[in-house]
Each structure stands twice: as structure tokens, then as C-alpha cells.
Amino acid sequence: MKNIAPEFMINADNVYRTKSYIVKQVLLIEVLSNENNGIKSYDTYYKRNKLRDKQYELIFNERKSINGKRLPSTMFSRKYIN
């Protein structure tokens, strides 16, 4: 059996968990010459289920706070996965 990273870990800069979702953040620093710089967050919300929760808990079992937390950004977009 191959060890394949769960989808919520692929290219993720941050991963955290809410009551209903496991959230993957992909962050991009945008440097603009004519405006303020900003951080964009491309968020993917994966509906929690037994398999995803097990994968999440195996990966983050050593965190002080297992659920983690969101990294702040100036802009964001969301995509939901069942």
C-alpha cells in the first residue's frame, strides 16, 4: 500500500479544522507597486468525515491544539468539497 498524502495536504501552506470542515489554506503574497501589499488565501473546505478526520489526526496528533487555526489574510476565496 502506498503512502499518499490526503488531498487536503497537497500544496497546503496551512491546514486547520472547524466543527464541520477541514480547511486547506494556500497563501500568496501579492506585491503591488501602486497599492498596499497583501496576502491572498485560497481556501478549500473539505467536509469532515471519518476517513478525513483519521488522516488529519494522524498528521497533526502532536499539535498543542489539534484543530489548529486560520492564518490571517487580506483577501480570500473559498471552494467547498463534499
Side-chain angles (χ1 to χ4, degrees), residues 7-27 41-48 52-53 56 60 63 66-71 76-81:
E7 188 177 357
F8 61 80
M9 290 300 297
I10 298 171
N11 298 321
D13 292 310
N14 183 43
V15 177
Y16 65 96
R17 186 165 66 171
T18 68
K19 182 179 178 182
S20 302
Y21 295 96
I22 294 173
V23 184
K24 171 172 79 173
Q25 278 187 284
V26 177
L27 301 167
S41 181
Y42 297 92
D43 304 340
T44 306
Y45 284 70
Y46 296 88
K47 185 77 172 162
R48 286 177 66 173
R52 287 184 184 136
D53 273 347
Y56 182 94
F60 296 112
R63 274 185 174 173
I66 187 103
N67 291 325
K69 65 180 189 177
R70 178 176 182 74
L71 294 175
F76 65 90
S77 70
R78 289 183 179 183
K79 177 171 59 170
Y80 290 88
I81 309 290

Side-chain angles (χ1 to χ4, degrees), residues 31-68:
V31 180
L32 302 169
S33 60
N34 60 344
E35 292 185 31
N36 291 334
N37 299 334
I39 299 174
K40 289 185 180 179
S41 181
Y42 297 92
D43 304 340
T44 306
Y45 284 70
Y46 296 88
K47 185 77 172 162
R48 286 177 66 173
N49 60 36
K50 287 182 183 182
L51 174 61
R52 287 184 184 136
D53 273 347
K54 182 69 174 172
Q55 291 169 326
Y56 182 94
E57 289 167 7
L58 286 171
I59 294 166
F60 296 112
N61 64 5
E62 293 186 15
R63 274 185 174 173
K64 260 186 183 177
S65 174
I66 187 103
N67 291 325

